[in-house]
Amino acid sequence: MDEYEEIPWTTLLSEHRQGRAKTLYVVAGVLVAVVIGFAGIRWVNAPGHGEPQTLAPPVTATTTTAPPVTSEATTTTGVLSEADLMAVQPATAELGAVARAEWFVTDYFTVDGPMPEELPAAFVVDADLPDSFRETASGTSYVEWARAYEVRPTADGYAVSVVFRSLTEEPDGAFVRGPVRAVEVLVAVRGEETAIADLPIPLMPPVYNSIEGWMKTGEEAHADAVAATLEYAGLFDESAEIVGSGAIGPDWRVVFTIGDRSGNRWPVVMRSDTIPGS
């Protein structure tokens, strides 16, 4: 009976690669030797080889003064004037005031322990804060988000209107999301510095409930639209489900749901009028 010896594939591959590497090194060495020899022969046979080389005398350039040339390009690329620089400053100052107001609202309405030192330091240096401002609260409240929605200039800076929502801790330890609230924050601006000029001023949050614009559909969306929606929805949730569809003329609208690890699901939509090139 014939006996066969088993050789692992990894051993064969290793020997094969080593052999190829040795061959490449030999070929590379031969090529380098040929190039060096060819270059040496050309250098020896070159005319004037070994003869001293005479350097040409230095050339003295003659400087001439040309009349000044005035062009539109040179006038438009000059240094910005003080007026130009000042024209950019208000936009930068407004952005700084908005950032300061959102930052302040987040810190002011968040209570999770002793007051941070940066909160009273956010006010102007001559601020007259009430004693209750420094009292330590017993409850816990976090600002979930804060966004500026209106900015108007004042004599000392800007008045920034900010909407925000807080999460408050219940006695059982659960956190409950509160209603959206709004305040106006007076921000003093001097150069690149910003500071809070007073305590926040409560406002009624902006509510917009008189705008129309929902797509009205009278028939079911065609099968291609539903298939395209399912394919697109799979990018967000493999278990996406179609819950409704509609069409009006060439336009269509398909509603589907997506979820996350919490088990919650949300209805979302895909519309033909929002697809590029549709």
Side-chain angles (χ1 to χ4, degrees), residues 107-164:
D107 286 352
Y108 189 82
F109 292 101
T110 293
V111 179
D112 58 354
M115 178 184 300
E117 296 181 358
E118 62 185 16
L119 182 55
F123 288 87
V124 292
V125 293
D126 58 345
D128 186 11
L129 300 175
D131 294 338
S132 59
F133 177 79
R134 299 182 180 275
E135 293 180 355
T136 302
S138 58
T140 302
S141 179
Y142 293 102
V143 172
E144 184 182 24
W145 54 263
R147 297 291 184 273
Y149 66 92
E150 185 178 352
V151 183
R152 57 183 177 86
T154 62
D156 300 323
Y158 295 89
V160 184
S161 300
V162 180
V163 290
F164 65 100

Side-chain angles (χ1 to χ4, degrees), residues 18 25 28 49 55 59 68 88 95 102 151 168 199 219 249 267 269:
Q18 292 177 1
Y25 288 142
H49 171 63
L55 299 178
V59 178
V88 182
L95 288 174
E102 293 178 346
V151 183
T168 57
L199 297 170
E219 56 187 17
V269 68

